[in-house]
Structure formats: C-alpha cells, structure tokens
Amino acid sequence: MNPLPRKDEYETLETLFENVDSSFAEGLVRGCFHTCGPGRPPRKPLGLFRAFIVMRMKSVRSLREMSRLLNVDPRLRKLCLIKEGEKGYPRSVLSRFTKRVGVERLESIIEEKVVSLLRRNKAEEIDAVLDASFIKAWSIRHPRDSRKGYSDGEARVGRTGRTYSLGYKLHLSADFERMLPLASIVAPANQNEKKHCHTLLEKTRQVLRKAGAKLGSIIADSQYSSEKIRKAADEAVIPYPENQKRGVKGLLRVDKKFRTHGPEDQKRKYHKRPAIESAFSFLRTQYSLTINKVRGLKKVTTYALYSILSHILTREAAENIGRPDKAVSPTYFNT
C-alpha cells in the first residue's frame, strides 16, 4: 500500500493566485465597467474574474451554487477579494460579468499567457497536436427536429466516441512538449474537424509569431486527413485512412488495433499525439469542462475558455514557484 501523501506535498489556490501575473487580465476586465459618472460603482472586477477560475478549479456546477458559496465560505470569499461584512457576488452580477467580458477578451488573456510562457521557455519550433473533444449540451433534442437542441437551439447532434449525442466540440491545438494549449475553437458538434482546422492553425501561428517561435509539424489523427490540411504546414503527420490512396506503400497508417505502420520518423512523431488526449483529460476531469450548465455557443465557449485558462494558470504558477514538474499535475494547487 502506498503511504498517504504529506500535506506539504501540495499547494493551495492561494498559492496559485499569488504566483500568477494578473495585471493584464485585471486591466482587460476592468475596462468592461464604468469608472466615473453616475451609477453604482462596480464590484471588484478581478474578484469576479477569480470567481470563475475557482468555479472551474473546484467543480462548482452553477452560478447559483457559486453565489451561495461566496456568502458562507470565508476562504472562497477571501480568494475572490470579498471583504469581511460585504455581501458575496449575486448570481445576476456573475451572469452579467460573463457577458461583459465576452469571448474576445478571454481569448486575449489566454493568448497573452501562452505567449509569455513560450517566451520564458525560449521556444523556437513547436510541433502542434490537433484534436477535438465533445461537450454535452444542457438541453434535450428538439421533438420536431432531433438534429438540434430544444432549449439550446445552437447545439447539434454529433459523434462522441461510438455513439451520437447533442452538444458542441472544443477544437484544440496544443504544444506537445509542454502540454500547453495554443489555440481553440468551439463549434456545434455536427461540424467536422476539417472545417475548423485552417482557422485553428492560423490562430496557432498568430500566437507562435508573437512568441518568436514557428510552427514545425502538425500532428493529428486520420479525421484530419486531406490534401489541403497536409499542405498547410511544412510537415503534416496525419495517417491516411483505409479509403485514401489504397495500395500506395510508404504512407503513415494506423490499423484497427492502433498499431502504426509507415516511415519511422513519422511514427515517432505520431506517438506524440496522446499528449493532447492528456490535456483534454485534465480539462474534463480537473477543470470542469464536462460541467456545462449554460446554453448557446457563446456561453459554452466562455466556460470552455475558463477551463483552458485554469490549465494555463497552473503551468504559470508551477514554473514561478520552481516546480515545473507540477505543471501537469492539476490537483497540485487544488487543495
């Protein structure tokens, strides 16, 4: 039997917030509120921003539950910058905050963090791994059109594993070496990965250019196999499915038992692909990607971005305290 871990082997959310630079995020979210003139002064924008990170880290299922916790939990109140005797953030304030911040500001915060981390690690050439993960919609199917949602009209039925379900897909590119998300797109689940691949690659290149790095190879499964995608990068490590170029030898292929066949250099690079599966696993199990209680593409995108940002902040905090090995340990700062 393994001994129980010592308490000092873990850090807390307080340590995480103390060891990340929130100045850029604070400036952006503060710009969502008025600073002068008539009207009630806004609640602390940085405190509201922290509340959504805490929700993702602590798997709080809804704004209503978070609002209740901020009224009764002294530790969460302090983390979210609520003073003693001050009321917690009501559900309406939290809801309006997500609309004020929006998707573009969150993407800017994530991009700034990713660029900073890549510069710190002196990244020069990066192999990007591409994949998509299903997000279940908070809705049932429409009784007159089973392809879309009833209370969430933007959700669509798409493949999830061996079955079909109603929801969205998070399309992600990640740096293999650091298991760091580089760019993302959320789309209805019925839209194929190929449709968003070029936009995802362009967003990835934009981040890498700002970090002073360049895109090396793109690594993906056979779902991304097309000539346009293969020409979009210097090297595309994508296996050909059985129905493409039959009889041609020397191509990378993966059989039904997930064994790779083809050139040795491409086989070695393709074995990097499970890194993005690990990233999705962290997002689903530790950063609450599967806890979707909102409806509509924009809101689902916002909550997915908070999960990605929580993952990135974990890496930043781990590197700042001199424990880069804990950057891929989602529970390290979650006590």
Side-chain angles (χ1 to χ4, degrees):
M1 179 182 296
N2 294 327
L4 291 174
R6 300 191 310 272
K7 187 177 180 180
D8 60 0
E9 289 183 356
Y10 294 92
E11 294 292 347
T12 61
L13 281 173
E14 286 84 354
T15 308
L16 183 140
F17 285 127
E18 289 169 4
N19 287 278
V20 296
D21 181 8
S22 58
S23 57
F24 181 79
E26 185 176 7
L28 277 185
V29 298
R30 191 178 295 278
C32 302
F33 298 88
H34 73 278
T35 55
C36 59
R40 182 181 299 177
R43 303 296 296 269
K44 292 184 178 64
L46 183 59
L48 289 164
F49 179 73
R50 283 188 174 191
F52 285 91
I53 299 299
V54 172
M55 282 185 67
R56 302 285 95 182
M57 298 286 285
K58 288 293 187 182
S59 300
V60 179
R61 300 185 65 84
S62 66
L63 294 181
R64 195 180 303 277
E65 182 182 351
M66 187 64 190
S67 179
R68 181 186 63 80
L69 290 172
L70 290 175
N71 282 325
V72 300
D73 191 322
R75 185 190 174 205
L76 293 188
R77 288 172 60 85
K78 189 174 180 180
L79 282 170
C80 298
L81 307 180
I82 301 172
K83 296 179 180 178
E84 187 176 351
E86 189 179 17
K87 289 184 178 180
Y89 304 129
R91 178 182 176 276
S92 58
V93 171
L94 292 171
S95 179
R96 284 196 296 268
F97 179 78
T98 60
K99 295 178 182 178
R100 286 177 180 270
V101 173
V103 171
E104 290 185 2
R105 285 188 176 91
L106 275 178
E107 288 182 334
S108 297
I109 293 170
I110 291 173
E111 183 179 287
E112 188 269 342
K113 289 294 180 188
V114 172
V115 169
S116 175
L117 287 168
L118 292 176
R119 285 176 177 172
R120 176 187 297 182
N121 287 274
K122 299 180 180 179
E124 295 181 356
E125 184 174 289
I126 289 175
D127 294 334
V129 191
L130 311 182
D131 206 350
S133 181
F134 185 83
I135 303 174
K136 186 174 175 60
W138 184 238
S139 173
I140 61 172
R141 297 190 189 190
H142 199 286
R144 291 189 294 274
D145 186 353
S146 61
R147 296 171 297 177
K148 64 181 183 179
Y150 183 53
S151 57
D152 185 351
E154 294 182 280
R156 293 293 184 271
V157 172
R159 181 180 289 277
T160 168
R162 296 185 178 181
T163 184
Y164 289 85
S165 188
L166 180 71
Y168 300 87
K169 278 186 180 179
L170 169 62
H171 302 264
L172 191 70
S173 69
D175 173 11
F176 154 74
E177 186 176 345
R178 299 161 191 84
M179 208 180 295
L180 180 67
L182 298 171
S184 64
I185 296 172
V186 178
N190 65 331
Q191 296 181 2
N192 191 273
E193 283 84 344
K194 297 184 186 73
K195 180 175 181 179
H196 300 283
C197 183
H198 290 283
T199 305
L200 187 64
L201 286 174
E202 184 54 39
K203 293 175 74 172
T204 302
R205 285 194 177 94
Q206 179 181 336
V207 170
L208 296 183
R209 280 195 296 266
K210 291 182 178 180
K214 67 176 183 177
L215 179 65
S217 304
I218 58 172
I219 305 167
D221 61 20
S222 58
Q223 184 63 38
Y224 290 82
S225 181
S226 77
E227 288 305 313
K228 288 184 179 180
I229 295 175
R230 294 178 189 280
K231 293 177 181 178
D234 293 339
E235 183 182 16
V237 183
I238 304 172
Y240 285 88
E242 291 181 355
N243 62 349
Q244 291 183 2
K245 297 195 175 183
R246 292 179 178 175
V248 179
K249 296 182 179 180
L251 301 178
L252 180 66
R253 296 188 188 273
V254 179
D255 62 24
K256 294 180 179 180
K257 295 184 178 180
F258 301 102
R259 295 174 298 193
T260 54
H261 306 273
E264 289 298 324
D265 58 334
Q266 289 205 357
K267 286 168 63 177
R268 284 194 297 270
K269 284 196 173 184
Y270 184 73
H271 291 159
K272 298 178 180 180
R273 202 188 71 82
I276 200 167
E277 297 291 348
S278 299
F280 277 132
S281 177
F282 291 160
L283 292 174
R284 288 191 294 262
T285 61
Q286 303 297 331
Y287 302 119
S288 308
L289 183 63
T290 56
I291 301 177
N292 174 39
K293 298 289 184 180
V294 295
R295 300 180 178 94
L297 180 59
K298 284 188 177 180
K299 290 183 178 180
V300 174
T301 301
T302 297
Y303 277 79
L305 290 175
Y306 275 119
S307 295
I308 293 170
L309 181 56
S310 299
H311 183 32
I312 293 170
L313 292 180
T314 299
R315 171 164 286 280
E316 182 183 3
E319 292 190 3
N320 284 340
I321 66 172
R323 292 298 305 273
D325 56 307
K326 296 300 182 182
V328 290
S329 177
T331 58
Y332 185 66
F333 292 100
N334 206 7
T335 58

